[in-house]
Amino acid sequence: MMASVVVGGNRKKSLTLRGVDPETCMIVFKNHWAQVVKILEKHEPGRSGTGALSFLSGHGSSSGALRLGPIPADEASAVQNYVEHMLFLLMEEEAGQGGAMGPILEFVVLEGVMERLFLWSLRRQFTEDMKLEQLRMYQMLLSQARQPLLHHKPVLRPLMMLLASCAGPGTDSGGVVEAELVLLLNQLCVALVKDPSVLELFFHTSEDQGAANFLLFSLLIPYTHRQGSVGQQARDALLLIMSLSASDPRVAQHIAENTYFCPVLATGLSGLYSSLPARLQVYSEDWHCLDQADWQQVPALVHFLHSLDFCSAVTKVAHPSIRSQLLGYIYNGFLVPVLAPALHKLTVEEVMTTTAYLDLFLRSIPEPALLQTFLSFILLHTHDNVHILDTLVSRVNTPFQLGTVSLALFRTLIGLFCEDVMLQLVFRYLIPCRHLSRKQFCSLKQRDCYSSSAASFLLLMPSWCPGNLHNTNTHSEHIHWPKGADLSVSDSVGYCRGSDFLMDVNYLHYLWDARQAISTSHRACQLWSAPYDGINPLPQEYRSDTPGDDIEDEEEIVPRAKSDSISSLVVTPPPLTLSPTLSSSDTISTGNQAGRASSALELEWDDIFADDDLSLSGVLSTTFANGSMTMDVDRCTSTPAPPLPPRHIQEMRRTATKLVHGSYVEESEFQDDVLVYNLVAQTDTKAAILERIMAANRRARGSISNGQRVSTTTTTTTIATMLTTTGRTVMETVNSIMSTRRWSEDAGKEERRWSDDYGQKVRRRSEDCGKELWRRKEEGEDEIRRMCAQGEPKGRQFFTNGFNAKHHIIDECDDTDEANKPFKQNCNHGDLITTVKHKHTPHQQHIHHNTQHPMPQSMKNTLPNGHSESEPRDPLVSATAAKSPNLPGNNVTNKDDFLSRYHKLMLSLGVEPDCDDITDDISTFRKRVRELRQKLEEEEEGLDEELVYSSLWDDREEEGEEEVMEEEEEEGEGEERRSGSKKGSRRHGVPFTGPFISVLLSRLENLLENSIAVNLLVTGILAQLASYPQPLLRSFLLSTDTHNLPNVRTLYQVLVSVNAQIERYVAARPEYPALVTQAWRFLLAKDQDSKFRECLQPQGGDIILDPSLPNGSVRNALALPPLSVLPPCPPIPPQAKSRVFAIVLYAEFLKELAAIAQEHSIALDCSSEE
Amino acid sequence: YLQSFFWSDSCYVSHTNQQRSDNEEQGGHGEQRSSPARLSFGKKQLPPIPKNAAPITKPASTGTPTQSANGTHASYGPFYLEYSLLAEFTLVIKQKLPGIYVQPSYKSALMWFGVIFIRHGLYQDGVFKFTVYIPDNYPDGECPKLVFDIPVFHPLVDPVSGELDVRRAFTKWRRNHNHIWQVLMYARTIFYKINTTEPLNPEAAVLYEKDVHLFKSKVVDSVKLCNSHLFDQPKIDDPYAISFSPWNPAVHEEAKERMFTYKRRPEDHHKGTQVSGLSWVKPGSTQPFSKDDGSPQS
């Protein structure tokens, strides 16, 4: 082997050419060459350059054709020997005077030595080994030659030919050639960067080969996404060329226009992404993001990150034209077609996984330009007409791990200090300052000189908290600094300190951290375009920013209101998209009508805030009758866009569309809940609401005998919100049913928490609904009648879809319902809730009946391709659901039994964090649930009233026509609700502070029920938001002003409400204060300990913390308090753990906020104030 | 540690401006001496545990823990007062009052040292050191006291104690409306606009009314007196007390150098943890990615 001989050939040479006369070397070289030529010529058909080129043009076949016959081995090895010597001489030769070629090089160039050698290697069998020889030969020459060789075409040309011939696909076995090839390419790139003048030659040489342009570069492209050192080398080499492109427009132009570099990079990302695990095995429910330890275990992820990193590096160093091309491809070739659908996959785990990936990507991208691409994807791209950002925000409120992961994603986003992100998430809702009263607006820029916010926050500390253990019977509340006269006496400043030393120290830490956070934020935000201080951007300007917005009067504030969003929710016809399995004739036949309807819908959007004129309802009901078609056609045919409606309308429409399109039942449900939030917040009217609900209920039941209209009404209203938010195709529905199922398998542990959560929401919703319902009932009945007359066959199609969606919800409701009861009792939320609960259940009962029967039909109709596995289950579930204990009386009798069993069940599932065996448990769990259901079923069987209801509904249901009618009624009810909420929203004219803040606050309000991870994330995000220096945000989050505009929900209000929850909760549990205090002390001590260790670390190095060190080691002499000094972790019952910690966290969060407020008040660098 | 929060800023401010005023008016009259304590503070840092966190002025009560709601308030009371004073100090810095420099004492945030340079008028070239005493029930108490180290000859300055009649300007101290910078501002005003009603120094008042020439010469004497005591040790022994020393290149040159090359302290302070924000919002727009270099997909 030539190369190996070359490499190992030094043994023959004494490496001491120094001192040897160059003349002699030249003579030796020439002699050798003469010998070589003799052999070459013997086997060469003719010496011509065209020969070489023809080799290249199709080296595979032509080299075979040209072979004249086998070359004797002795001749081959003779050539090898000579060449070896010659190369050595060439490498060792010094450049001539003034950079001229040395004589040997000159000879090589003149004689075309390299080219002839290349041809010779072709002449022999051009095997992999031969390629290796040649490649290594050039590697050696390049790395060791003392004079530049690449400037000379006779050297460069055969090199290029060699490279081209090595590039052939599939010739390589084991990748050895590839490795050598890439190494050589890398060397060449290094040479290029060192001496850009060579570039010229590379291009020219390439031109000789016609299409093969910038060969060097083209050869590297296939290795872009290669793993391992070969890939790394190739990427390094490519980066070298990229940096070259920044200074050489020709290279840039070539790469951008003549190569597939950018598409390859972007599609490579897509390819690598597709090989990522679609679902991550997550072992802990506290898990919320992929940290390094996580992703390093997933090779595919490591690989992807490398490529992403490469893209990032390219955007950093490459010429702007390449950069923008690459970013464009990444946007249009990866983000939009790959990541967007991945974010909308059908199972919660998949979406959760995608979200975690997105979070990881955002954290791994160091280059602003690439980050911008990702961010603009998140902020501006719409998937199914919904902005990705909105979808992500809505997911924060999902009770599953998806919610936790989404929170982590937002923590990342918030941590970027990106104005664009913050603008979309928060500021655009705050800029108009509608959430501020006049007084508040005026004091926007004032500092809170006397720490009154901090004091208010700290006053929310639960009364029995350790923080309050301070002796309060002090003589005065004032600090006792020595006064002027005393100064000589006392030399120090003192505080009054209570016994809880750690508490105080810990507060100082919060102050310090707050100071850091604020100054970090401040510095990071110096780049921003505006201070967001209520003056810049101008509140009015923002409003006139959008066309058609200027006509807004105070009435128009309404659209931004949360409750209005609710109304928008309700307005939207449930199933937006048609299932692909629907017969096309249906669609076509309704086409015209749909067109009309869609315009009616437009109207509706615009007029929804106009006076609730009844004449409008006619239009609306038409819309509804065609509901499903309408939207579909609307989207498919993309009718010429009408003049843009005002911004708020657009926004509302978007929200509604989003909700309807929401891929997840959970998502939309909880999203919806956020919007209900404000209405619910009006606790003072609760009693009244309750009254109404009860009245409505009584009436509903009473009217059943007359005809089922009213009861249907009640039913519908109860679930109307859910229904409308879950509109979806049949396929989607079924899929999500399945996914829910899968979810329930995986999330057994979460179930309890979730259902608690959910229960509350259902309660709220029902309150809400009840309220609206009552108001609009009579009107609604009229509506219904009218609609019954109008609604015809299309309605049926529509409702079939509707049923599925509904059924799904009910399915979940059912679980929730069961889960709910123990919670209610546990939580001791008081009579009100229980009553509401009871009132609520009859509604559900109706739902069950309502949907039970149509469901299987529609399944069969629309899903011939058989998702059969969901069918057997669903009737069962519905049946169970239908017979679940709905009537108050039954509830009472069954509750205890049920409760205790449920408790057992939950305990058996454990709130234990170790959940490796979750899959084992799941089957047990499911079995138990089934048993439970069966038992319940049996128990319900004898309930007369129940039976009456059932039979009633069963009878009706035999007749298809009637069924449709009923559904019409339901729609009418939706209608009714719409107008109802319209009125409501007007009343509540709510300045909307944006979904993100709402969602955060709503999660915060659930503090007691959240997992520790969620609470940490929520409080962490809020604290970081509060550290932002912009007065608009700062004042909104930190203001403890209780004179807020109606329905402005502030952080402080939520904290007050959580405080009340805690006090209530603890009041019923005398053991809690001690438990919490113990846990608190433990956590503080632990925290202090770790801080202490941190402090010592720089001195002692890492080793100091090494637990493996023997106790007697010197380093331990540094007096680290041994862990045993810490108070023991109190024995907290596992089921209480998250609540106990939540309470501790709550108190600590108050301190954190107080500290942030205090530090804001003394921040020097509030640019806005200068 | 109150001072540790802010000493650097204030120190810087006073140094710079002092330097400037010295150059302008007094021709290298003297540079504020940097106390060793100041030099040792390279950066603002809150010690993890305050030096005097342990109760020293007030023994821990032996009473049983009360569960009153304002217990929390009480325990955090010191923080509120301290931050109120810090906020006041921050406001002072922001006001950039011409010729006035203050520095809270090391020992108590309730006592501030200050110096005022008078650049025009009758009291031109006066350099008056003073001390501000803030009541410990601030901001709910009376208005702060301002006492000149040397009683300046002025109708509103007590010829014995050196106390300025602040209360006439702040009959009632109103939280949220009155701030300490206003007191300082007032202290400056009296030297430019002389008021003789209800004087603390009747002699000065009478002279100003009846014999301005004599008044003027008395003022000149007073200014001279004050300036002649400029290099005296501070009246109150405190590491952060303001003291002057004659120009000493060995001590001051380097500090001066630093002062004039100084850019932004926070930046070099936080170099290690530099976080840079992002923005693609065009100024004046409220649309994301509205800058001209636009989003890549367009």
Side-chain angles (χ1 to χ4, degrees), chain A residues 331 372 417 419-420 423 447 449-450 455 458 468 470 472 479 487 491 493 495 497 508 527 542 545 1159 1164, chain B residues 1 9 50 52-53 66 71-72 75 80-84 94 107 111 176 277-280 286 289 294 297:
Chain A
Y331 191 93
Q372 183 198 6
F417 299 106
E419 182 175 10
D420 309 64
L423 186 60
R447 19 182 101 224
C449 265
Y450 309 116
L458 290 170
N468 261 340
H470 286 292
T472 50
I479 194 166
L487 279 177
D491 197 32
V493 184
Y495 294 115
R497 293 285 172 204
L508 289 181
L527 281 174
Y542 184 73
D545 235 11
E1159 286 294 340
L1164 240 192
Chain B
Y1 67 108
D9 305 83
N52 305 298
T66 4
T72 316
S75 67
Y80 303 152
L81 176 54
E82 176 162 344
Y83 272 75
S84 299
K94 281 178 175 298
K107 289 167 185 168
M111 182 168 71
N176 277 320
L278 301 163
S279 173
W280 294 279
T286 49
F289 304 108
Q297 70 283 359

Side-chain angles (χ1 to χ4, degrees), chain A residues 913-927:
Chain A
D914 322 313
C915 52
D916 288 359
D917 50 350
I918 186 162
T919 41
D920 298 326
D921 270 2
I922 277 304
S923 56
T924 335
F925 170 71
R926 293 188 56 117
K927 217 162 72 193

Side-chain angles (χ1 to χ4, degrees), chain B residues 15 139 246 284 291:
Chain B
H15 273 264
K291 258 189 190 162

Side-chain angles (χ1 to χ4, degrees), chain A residues 148 155 182 302 446 473 579 632 684 796 864 1001 1017 1024 1090 1126:
Chain A
V155 177
V182 170
V302 174
Q446 275 174 15
N473 48 350
S579 153
D632 192 53
D684 47 342
R796 195 187 305 228
L1001 293 184
L1017 282 165
Q1024 181 152 29
S1090 67
L1126 294 177

Side-chain angles (χ1 to χ4, degrees), chain A residues 324 327-328 331-332 368-369 371-373 375-376 379-380 415-420 423-424 428 431 446-452 454-456 458-459 461 463-464 467-484 487-488 490-497 501 503-505 507-509 511-512 515-516 519-520 522-529 532 536-537 541-542 545-546 647 1088 1095 1151 1155 1158-1159 1161-1166 1169-1170, chain B residues 1-3 5-6 9 44-88 90-91 93-94 96 105-111 113 133-140 173-179 236-238 264 266-267 269-270 273-291 293-297:
Chain A
S324 62
L327 294 177
Y331 191 93
N332 296 306
L371 201 52
Q372 183 198 6
T373 305
L375 291 177
S376 71
L379 300 186
L380 301 180
L416 292 175
F417 299 106
C418 174
E419 182 175 10
D420 309 64
L423 186 60
Q424 292 299 89
R428 65 175 163 148
I431 289 171
Q446 275 174 15
R447 19 182 101 224
D448 171 24
C449 265
Y450 309 116
S451 301
S452 51
S456 304
L458 290 170
L459 276 174
M461 216 48 105
S463 50
W464 41 267
N468 261 340
L469 294 183
H470 286 292
N471 35 51
T472 50
N473 48 350
T474 51
H475 315 294
S476 84
E477 291 194 357
H478 306 297
I479 194 166
H480 282 236
W481 273 307
K483 296 195 196 152
L487 279 177
S488 52
S490 152
D491 197 32
S492 42
V493 184
Y495 294 115
C496 159
R497 293 285 172 204
F501 175 70
M503 293 278 174
D504 297 324
V505 172
Y507 189 68
L508 289 181
H509 279 300
L511 287 171
W512 176 239
R515 187 174 187 77
Q516 296 283 54
S519 91
T520 301
H522 173 74
R523 264 176 291 117
C525 295
Q526 276 174 340
L527 281 174
W528 286 24
S529 74
Y532 298 93
N536 179 17
E541 240 172 42
Y542 184 73
D545 235 11
T546 44
R647 179 191 191 82
Q1088 186 62 28
C1095 289
K1151 287 197 234 167
Q1158 286 202 305
E1159 286 294 340
S1161 74
I1162 61 157
L1164 240 192
D1165 37 15
C1166 292
E1169 289 187 51
E1170 278 158 13
Chain B
Y1 67 108
L2 169 73
Q3 290 77 12
F5 275 94
F6 266 108
D9 305 83
K44 288 181 255 180
Q45 194 168 15
L46 183 66
I49 299 170
K51 290 186 196 92
N52 305 298
I56 59 142
T57 54
K58 190 183 295 180
S61 162
T62 49
T64 48
T66 4
Q67 306 218 339
S68 82
N70 59 358
T72 316
H73 201 291
S75 67
Y76 287 95
F79 290 107
Y80 303 152
L81 176 54
E82 176 162 344
Y83 272 75
S84 299
L85 294 168
L86 279 171
E88 288 292 349
T90 311
L91 285 177
I93 291 172
K94 281 178 175 298
K96 298 188 170 68
S105 97
Y106 173 81
K107 289 167 185 168
S108 169
L110 294 169
M111 182 168 71
F113 305 115
Y133 298 92
I134 301 154
D136 64 357
N137 54 353
Y138 183 86
D140 299 317
W173 189 261
R174 294 151 70 210
R175 57 155 52 206
N176 277 320
H177 285 87
N178 293 133
H179 294 289
I236 295 163
D237 179 34
D238 188 284
R264 287 193 74 90
E267 247 132 22
H269 180 202
H270 289 285
T273 56
Q274 187 72 32
V275 185
S276 91
L278 301 163
S279 173
W280 294 279
V281 180
K282 190 168 142 193
S285 163
T286 49
Q287 297 303 314
F289 304 108
S290 47
K291 258 189 190 162
D293 50 337
S295 47
Q297 70 283 359

